[in-house]
Structure formats: C-alpha cells, structure tokens
Amino acid sequence: MDDVTRVLIVDDDPLVRAGLTMILSGTDDLRVVGEAADGAEVPAAVGAYSPDVVLMDIRMPSVDGLAATEALRRRPDPPEVIVLTTFDADEYVLRALRAGAGGFLLKDTPPAEIVRAIRTVAAGDPMLSPAVTRQLIAHVSEAGVDARKARAVALLAQLSPRELEVAEAVGQGASNAEIATSLFMSVATVKAHVSRILTRLELNNRVQLALLAHDAGS
C-alpha cells in the first residue's frame, strides 16, 4: 500500500470523473480513493481520504478550483494538486500554479500522459515543461505585471548569490542534474539549495519558484 499513490478527483462533470477513474483503475500504483463534485467538498474529502494527489477542475459552480487549491495548499503537509482545464491558455491555470499547483492537464490529454503526470507530481517533480510555461504566460493578461515584478525582485533579493543562480536556473526549466552540471555542484547540493529557497521564500514547489523568477525578469 505504501507504493500506491492515492488520488482524489474533483470535477463537477460525472462523466469526467468516471473517465479518469477508469483510466487510473488500469494501473497498479495509482488508486482513486475518492471523488468530489465541487471545490466546497474538497476540505472534507481530503480529510476523509488523505490523497497524495488531487486532480482539480478549475471551473466549478460553487467554489472553483483556484480557491480550493489556495485553501488546500495552506494546509499542513498538503497533497499535490494538478489542475484540469479544457484550455491550454487559461488565466485561471496560471493563477492556480501561482497558488501552489504542481502542474496542469488538458482534459483531452491521452490516458498514458495523465498517468505519467500523476506519477511525476506524486514524486515531487513539476510536470510543466518550460515550453508550456512560456506558452501559458504569453497568453494570459499582462495586468499587474509591474506589481508582480516588484514583489518577485524583493523576494529574490533575500537569496544569496549562489541561491539566486539556482533560482534563475529553475526559472529556465533546468532539472537538478542540469543545474548541478552548469553550476559545478552535486545534485544533492542543488536539492538542498532548492529546498532552502522554497522554505525561505515560503513557496510550495519549483513551479512557483519558476514563475517568481519569470516575474522578476519580466
């Protein structure tokens, strides 16, 4: 059971929930432990089922996925979140990523890719490629760019020169191994730097750090 990733599906469309459940039922290491039809149901569902990963729809009638993700990521030891959307250039997706989601999936993503994405995020790695991040950022509203840049610059100013180099590399989409090679350090040292950066800046994951680095360079 320790090797099984527990998944909670949150979507107001019962057909989407059924389809995702069917896809994951064909795996040995992923298990759907519960479902919810609205963001308002998420706190109770997480408390009841203790999922490792939540597949979170963005647009729901009562409490949307953005608000639910923000509330969820404020919990102690929260599950990872993958947001679900029908659009690959949705402003709400970027807001959810800023709130701490580990990535996003289009609802027409092939089953094998959905499974791979859940496994990736469950392992603590972001499933958002640099190319997808750039595409998403390029399509969203530019409102508030100056304010975001000022905040990002102020936060990154807290870092040491070495930590800033690591943060900038994360923002460019580099893996730990790639950062280690380019900055002449061990992978373990890179991981330690990233962990300290996330703690110091009160960020949830590498996706948030990458977005912060992007904002600082806007």
Side-chain angles (χ1 to χ4, degrees), residues 7 15 22 24 41 52 57 108 132 147 162 174-175 187 203 205:
V7 180
L15 291 179
M22 185 180 302
L24 301 186
E41 302 172 11
D52 302 300
D57 188 21
D108 60 358
V132 171
R162 197 58 159 170
S175 66
V187 172
L203 302 175
N205 53 40

Side-chain angles (χ1 to χ4, degrees), residues 66-139:
L66 174 63
T69 297
E70 290 173 334
L72 189 54
R73 294 299 297 176
R74 287 195 295 265
R75 295 169 66 111
D77 195 24
E80 297 294 337
V81 178
I82 300 175
V83 295
L84 300 171
T85 180
T86 54
F87 305 100
D88 63 351
D90 192 324
E91 180 179 0
Y92 290 103
V93 175
L94 186 58
R95 289 175 60 191
L97 295 177
R98 292 186 188 282
F104 78 93
L105 285 172
L106 299 182
K107 290 188 177 181
D108 60 358
T109 298
E113 288 300 301
I114 293 175
V115 170
R116 182 187 65 80
I118 295 172
R119 288 170 175 160
T120 298
V121 169
D125 297 319
M127 47 145 292
L128 209 62
S129 71
V132 171
T133 303
R134 286 193 296 269
Q135 178 189 10
L136 183 61
I137 290 172
H139 283 77

Side-chain angles (χ1 to χ4, degrees), residues 150-193:
R151 173 181 175 275
V153 170
L155 284 173
L156 293 178
Q158 301 176 38
L159 305 180
S160 69
R162 197 58 159 170
E163 289 172 338
L164 186 58
E165 288 180 322
V166 172
E168 290 172 344
V170 170
Q172 294 165 3
S175 66
N176 286 341
E178 291 168 337
I179 296 172
T181 299
S182 64
L183 297 183
F184 305 101
M185 60 177 69
S186 69
V187 172
T189 300
V190 174
K191 289 180 178 179
H193 275 306

